[in-house]
């Protein structure tokens, strides 16, 4: 958990920009005739019309929810337009959504440090831009203020006396006696409103935003008034916001920690945490987590906007619910090959476009055992050094699965018969590439680096305008030993794992995997985790 920095961080201006029902907007841009109509984006599978993964605001008015299937949505609203997610390699293809998200990021990054948190959400540190505006053209002296800025929702601003809401916002922005923090937020209101209008002009996408003094508060605020609106959290309104906020609504408290706070400590709202001294929370949850809980109860967070426009990892996954669970090794290998092919394609694209290489390959799976008393045991995640080339990634991922399966069923607890191993099923598979870093100067040619890679990938790299076989590329640490590693296919009943395979827990520093358990919990409740959309690629609920 991040530990807060000194109170001077309250003078920062942080925005969290959240695209409104983004998957639907991407489809509506491709098919403008869908605009204004109740629309939902569904998975490609045919069972009951497919799983809804995004629902337009027009459709929500009819009671359509993301927990529904396509046929259910049609029953609720016969005129709903159902648009299929594109399909590639037998699973959902999110590349179009990723690319659309990149368009938005490139615009937002013009005014401040920008951190891409997921396909459809971005953090911005606008402190420098706000300070510059305050010095050169302070809001309190502006004669005209953009209409979009005047539509802002400012928490704590009293609009219940019948007065004009926009005029109240104008007066708040114009205050000469405001403290420095509020003056900076006033600048943030103007900057974010301008950025949102620029996104709309250049991409046709609407977005909502939260503006506050830290990432935590900005994130909370961005979802309070949607779509196409922005919400501001002045320092004086922080306590009022958190006092009644359900504990499970706070990021990182949607999982086991939130349940423990409710069940063991009687904490139902973030404000309830105020009754516990920091020492008590540290005693119960450890020093770092205890301090973090004490801080968030007071709206304190020192987490920095990282200044990252590119993802810190790439992942590809697919779920196999119910009767579609994979129960044979060949079935698992087939789908691993599909996932690895997509992952390899994305890695090559990243290398080509951004000159970055990944160092670590990780396999995650969810599984069940039908007859074992330890049926709740988790399938262990495994990782190894990443070798470029589709065939190599496929081979290594399968080896990681074999190692994980041996551990999961027990070295001697599972009986094999040919390619079958009775009593287990795989309900989810994903592969990810992490520890991605810019290419340092090196001496190995790309031809040597991609030795053994598939012809199609290597040919595309050779034909690139920016990379060719004469370019130089340094290999990931330890890669000079790859050719000596024994990568022969391990047998399931072999009792000793290869030394190069490592147990791993998803790297909590990876933004795409950070707080995965609570994110999965939130999205499952909202029906967002469906079929093939990998949890590594999802943002918070819209």
């Amino acid at each position: 958990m991040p530990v807060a920095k000194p109170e001077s961080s309250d003078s920062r201006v942080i925005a969290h920009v959240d695209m409104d029902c983004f998957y639907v907007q991407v489809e509506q841009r491709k098919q403008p005739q869908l605009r204004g109509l109740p629309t939902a984006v569904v998975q490609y599978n045919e069972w009951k019309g497919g799983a809804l993964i995004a629902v337009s605001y027009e459709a929500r008015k009819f009671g359509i929810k993301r927990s529904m299937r396509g046929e259910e949505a049609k029953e609720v609203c016969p005129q709903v337009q159902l648009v299929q997610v594109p399909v590639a390699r037998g699973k959902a293809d999110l590349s179009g959504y990723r690319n659309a998200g990149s368009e938005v990021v490139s615009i937002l990054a013009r005014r401040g440090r920008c951190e891409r948190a997921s396909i459809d959400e971005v953090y911005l540190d606008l402190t420098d831009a706000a300070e510059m505006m305050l010095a050169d053209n302070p809001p309190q002296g502006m004669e005209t203020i953009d209409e979009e800025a005047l539509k802002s929702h400012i928490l704590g601003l009293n609009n219940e006396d019948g007065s004009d809401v926009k005029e109240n916002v104008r007066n708040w922005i114009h205050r000469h006696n405001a403290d420095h923090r509020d003056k900076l937020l006033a600048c943030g209101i103007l900057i974010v409103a301008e950025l949102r209008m620029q996104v709309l002009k250049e991409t046709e996408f609407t977005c909502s935003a939260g503006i506050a003094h830290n990432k935590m508060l900005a994130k909370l605020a961005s979802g309070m008034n949607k779509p196409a609106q922005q919400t501001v959290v002045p320092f004086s309104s922080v306590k009022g916001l958190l006092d009644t906020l359900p504990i499970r609504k706070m990021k990182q408290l949607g999982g086991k920690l939130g349940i423990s706070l409710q069940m063991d400590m009687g904490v139902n709202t973030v404000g309830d945490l105020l009754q516990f001294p920091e020492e008590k929370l540290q005693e119960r949850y450890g020093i770092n987590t205890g301090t973090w809980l004490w801080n968030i109860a007071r709206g304190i967070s020192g987490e920095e906007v990282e200044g990252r426009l590119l993802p810190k990892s790439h992942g590809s996954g697919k779920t196999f619910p119910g009767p579609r669970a994979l129960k044979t090794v060949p079935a698992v290998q087939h789908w691993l090959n599909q996932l690895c092919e997509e992952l390899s394609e994305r890695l090559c694209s990243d290398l080509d476009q951004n000159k970055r290489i990944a160092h670590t390959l990780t396999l995650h799976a969810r599984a069940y055992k039908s007859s074992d008393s330890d049926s709740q045991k988790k399938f262990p995640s495994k990782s190894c050094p990443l070798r470029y080339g589709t065939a190599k990634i496929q081979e290594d991922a399968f080896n990681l699965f074999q190692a994980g399966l041996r551990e999961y069923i027990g070295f001697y607890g599972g009986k094999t018969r040919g390619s079958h191993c009775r009593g287990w099923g795989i309900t989810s598979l994903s592969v990810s590439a992490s520890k991605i870093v810019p290419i340092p100067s090196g001496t190995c040619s790309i031809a040597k680096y991609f030795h053994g890679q598939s012809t199609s990938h290597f040919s595309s790299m050779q034909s690139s305008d920016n990379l060719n076989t004469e370019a130089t590329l340094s290999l990931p640490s330890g890669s000079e030993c790859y050719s000596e590693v024994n990568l022969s296919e391990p047998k399931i009943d072999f009792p000793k794992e290869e030394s190069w395979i490592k147990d791993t827990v998803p790297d909590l520093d990876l933004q795409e995997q950070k707080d995965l358990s609570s994110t999965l919990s939130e999205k499952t409740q909202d029906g967002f985790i469906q079929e093939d959309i990998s949890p590594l690629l999802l943002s918070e609920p819209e």
Side-chain angles (χ1 to χ4, degrees), residues 216 238-239 242-243 247 250 269-276 281 291-300:
M216 177 184 73
V238 172
K239 187 176 186 302
L242 298 179
D243 273 353
I247 198 75
M250 179 65 75
T269 69
V270 176
D272 289 342
L273 284 169
L274 291 170
Q275 64 185 294
F276 299 103
L281 295 171
T291 297
W292 179 77
L293 290 169
W294 189 88
N295 283 334
I296 66 167
R298 292 155 177 82
I300 300 172

Side-chain angles (χ1 to χ4, degrees), residues 336-348:
L336 273 180
N337 286 345
Q338 302 300 309
L339 300 178
C340 291
E341 186 176 326
E342 177 185 343
L343 181 62
S344 180
E345 184 177 287
R346 292 174 62 188
L347 287 170
C348 286

Side-chain angles (χ1 to χ4, degrees), residues 379-406:
F379 194 99
S381 297
K382 298 288 179 180
S383 67
C384 70
L386 190 147
R387 304 185 300 155
Y388 274 71
T390 301
K392 292 180 180 180
I393 294 175
Q394 289 171 335
E395 179 183 15
D396 292 349
F398 185 58
N399 286 341
L400 294 178
F401 172 77
Q402 293 268 50
L405 182 62
R406 290 198 307 276

Side-chain angles (χ1 to χ4, degrees), residues 40 108 241 258 320 347 380 389 511:
L108 297 177
L241 169 64
F320 308 92
L347 287 170
Q511 181 63 43

Side-chain angles (χ1 to χ4, degrees), residues 29 31 33 64 93 110 112 179 218 223 274 293 343 364 371 413 453 474-475 480 484 489 517:
R29 186 172 68 170
Q31 304 179 62
Q33 69 274 17
I64 296 177
D93 179 11
R110 296 170 187 170
D179 64 20
L274 291 170
L293 290 169
L343 181 62
H364 303 290
S371 60
Q453 176 163 312
S474 175
L475 300 182
E480 64 274 5
E484 301 173 6
E489 183 176 312
S517 60

Side-chain angles (χ1 to χ4, degrees), residues 300-320:
I300 300 172
S301 172
E303 187 180 0
E304 297 281 353
V305 174
E306 294 185 20
R308 173 171 51 80
L309 304 184
L310 299 171
K312 292 178 72 175
S313 66
H314 292 294
S316 178
K318 183 176 174 66
T319 59
F320 308 92

Side-chain angles (χ1 to χ4, degrees), residues 347-348 351 356-359 386-389 392 437 439 443-453 458 461 467 469 471-477 479-480 482:
L347 287 170
C348 286
L351 176 61
R356 303 194 309 163
I357 50 176
H359 288 249
L386 190 147
R387 304 185 300 155
Y388 274 71
K392 292 180 180 180
V437 297
I439 299 173
T443 58
C444 295
S445 70
I446 284 182
K448 181 178 180 180
Y449 181 65
F450 282 94
H451 178 68
Q453 176 163 312
F458 184 55
M461 297 302 297
L467 287 173
T469 55
T472 58
L473 181 63
S474 175
L475 300 182
S477 174
S479 60
E480 64 274 5
Y482 286 0

